[in-house]
Amino acid sequence: MSTKPHADNTIITFEQHNLLETQRYPGSSGAFAWLLSGITLATKIIAAKVRRAGLSDVMGEAGAVNVQGENQQKLDVFSNNVLLHYLGLRESIGILASEENETPLVLKQEAEAKYIVVFDPLDGSSNIDVNAPVGTTFSILRRPHDVGDRHDQNDLLQSGRHQIAAGYVLYGSSTMLVYSAGAGVHGFTLDPAIGAYVLSHENIRMPTQGKWYSVNEAHIESFPPTYRNYVEGLRRGECGSKRYASRYIGAMVADVHRMLLKGGVFLYPPTIDNPAGKLRLMYEANPIAYLVEHAGGRAMCGDQRILDIRPESIHQRTAMICGGPMEMDFYEKCLGAGR
Ligand code: P6P
């Protein structure tokens, strides 16, 4: 992975990078690039609000409960509205679905509305009030060809392996967009001086082994045995003879971003409070699993590949463990041992 600007200090913006990628597909209309500009514009607006959260009336709860039964934070509502608005202006999007909306929004029926975007506008938003990292996750699907002329909200119930692109924006010490359309995973840092996402981490590849595991250990007694023994095995040095340390921020995007760059493993196993897992399959686990796999890692739920799970509902939850090659080899060894 190259993390330096190009030798002659030429910057490559996200738009330029995608234009170069689009040239691999002769005859492309540019509609996909226009769709992506809706994500970059909306997340720049969100970033500007996050950066001043303590100075504007966006901290704290919005006074409503979302479809997940969670108290909506004011910034959840703001971020959701911004993404719905700017993505809704993209002719090529037929359906939008958000963690904050109970049902998907079927926007258009025209054939040109061939894309579906599913997103979590502000993952980990409870971190906002304590100035800890938060993120936006998004997954881009194509309208299934075998459906008649009508968009239907079930069009989006596709396994994660059908994603045509996915990414997240991490509002951390800097704001960074991490994205893949299947040709490598690339990181773009928002340069506030020019208002552009600039290529800063080209072709992110996960290290073969890291040194951290990332899990909420408060739930460890309720983990299924395989997961509990896995974490204990990491601590005891049973994975590659390395005794792992722990890092956990409580915002999946931030915990996964560290793992993508430094290696290791992130897991949210089934717990008593969330027996089916806490993460949402369509707009949290799937985009992350897509990125992790394209960066050389693996993402699973039990003994199943996350990207093979066939969703039954838009807000379906799942457990997830995702990590680098050695961490996931060790996990599959624990699975096989029925530990
Ligand atoms: P816990 C945030 O609410 C989230 O969905 C993920 O971003 C994060 O990894 C997880 O929940 C944290 O859950 O139970 O550890 O607070």
Side-chain angles (χ1 to χ4, degrees):
M1 171 182 73
S2 154
T3 58
K4 299 183 190 58
H6 283 244
D8 60 1
N9 285 325
T10 300
I11 63 169
I12 300 235
T13 64
F14 180 65
E15 289 72 19
Q16 283 170 290
H17 185 267
N18 285 306
L19 208 57
L20 295 171
E21 289 229 319
T22 307
Q23 284 163 1
R24 296 191 301 128
Y25 305 99
S28 63
S29 66
F32 193 64
W34 175 233
L35 181 160
L36 293 173
S37 72
I39 290 173
T40 52
L41 176 56
T43 55
K44 287 177 194 174
I45 293 169
I46 294 167
K49 194 64 90 172
V50 166
R51 298 269 162 253
R52 303 187 71 257
L55 302 174
S56 47
D57 181 25
V58 290
M59 282 186 149
E61 297 184 354
V65 175
N66 68 11
V67 65
Q68 321 292 339
E70 297 165 342
N71 293 325
Q72 273 186 323
Q73 304 297 310
K74 289 177 185 171
L75 215 44
D76 283 324
V77 175
F78 174 83
S79 304
N80 193 46
N81 292 341
V82 168
L83 278 158
L84 290 176
H85 176 73
Y86 288 102
L87 289 173
L89 297 175
R90 267 63 188 171
E91 303 80 4
S92 61
I93 300 175
I95 298 182
L96 284 174
S98 165
E99 185 212 29
E100 299 297 335
N101 293 72
E102 185 155 3
T103 54
L105 306 177
V106 179
L107 303 174
K108 311 176 191 74
Q109 295 299 346
E110 293 75 11
E112 65 177 335
K114 57 189 173 184
Y115 298 114
I116 298 167
V117 182
V118 187
F119 60 88
D120 181 354
L122 209 66
D123 173 67
S125 53
S126 55
N127 277 346
I128 280 287
D129 290 359
V130 295
N131 207 21
V134 290
T136 296
T137 57
F138 60 90
S139 169
I140 303 176
L141 297 160
R142 198 185 296 279
R143 175 186 176 191
H145 295 297
D146 59 357
V147 173
D149 292 335
R150 306 289 305 162
H151 261 306
D152 173 282
Q153 66 180 22
N154 293 320
D155 287 359
L156 55 81
L157 296 179
Q158 304 175 35
S159 301
R161 66 174 179 276
H162 295 303
Q163 293 172 101
I164 59 170
Y168 59 75
V169 174
L170 173 59
Y171 311 100
S173 48
S174 67
T175 297
M176 198 166 146
L177 166 64
V178 175
Y179 169 84
S180 179
V185 178
H186 309 287
F188 302 82
T189 299
L190 180 61
D191 181 344
I194 60 173
Y197 281 108
V198 177
L199 183 64
S200 55
H201 295 68
E202 189 170 17
N203 197 26
I204 296 172
R205 299 296 296 172
M206 292 190 67
T208 303
Q209 184 176 24
K211 59 184 178 181
W212 293 311
Y213 66 87
S214 188
V215 68
N216 184 336
E217 300 194 64
H219 303 305
I220 195 161
E221 278 69 34
S222 67
F223 289 172
T226 294
Y227 290 102
R228 192 168 59 245
N229 292 310
Y230 175 75
V231 171
E232 289 163 358
L234 292 175
R235 289 182 191 140
R236 288 196 294 261
E238 294 176 11
C239 175
S241 307
K242 183 181 282 190
R243 299 168 71 89
Y244 282 64
S246 169
R247 289 283 187 284
Y248 192 71
I249 299 172
M252 174 191 64
V253 170
D255 283 317
V256 164
H257 185 69
R258 176 191 54 247
M259 181 198 74
L260 267 184
L261 296 188
K262 300 296 184 184
V265 60
F266 168 83
L267 59 158
Y268 204 107
T271 64
I272 287 177
D273 299 338
N274 291 289
K278 179 181 183 185
L279 304 177
R280 290 76 166 187
L281 173 64
M282 295 293 298
Y283 41 80
E284 289 180 340
N286 274 346
I288 294 305
Y290 182 89
L291 294 170
V292 165
E293 288 201 0
H294 281 287
R298 304 201 298 273
M300 297 179 71
C301 171
D303 60 0
Q304 192 173 13
R305 181 184 177 222
I306 288 281
L307 296 184
D308 288 338
I309 299 174
R310 173 91 172 109
E312 303 296 326
S313 64
I314 170 66
H315 298 298
Q316 175 172 326
R317 293 178 187 263
T318 183
M320 180 166 76
I321 176 169
C322 55
M326 285 189 70
E327 287 82 9
M328 294 307 287
D329 286 348
F330 180 55
Y331 170 68
E332 295 195 34
K333 182 180 165 204
C334 292
L335 262 184
R339 296 174 59 173

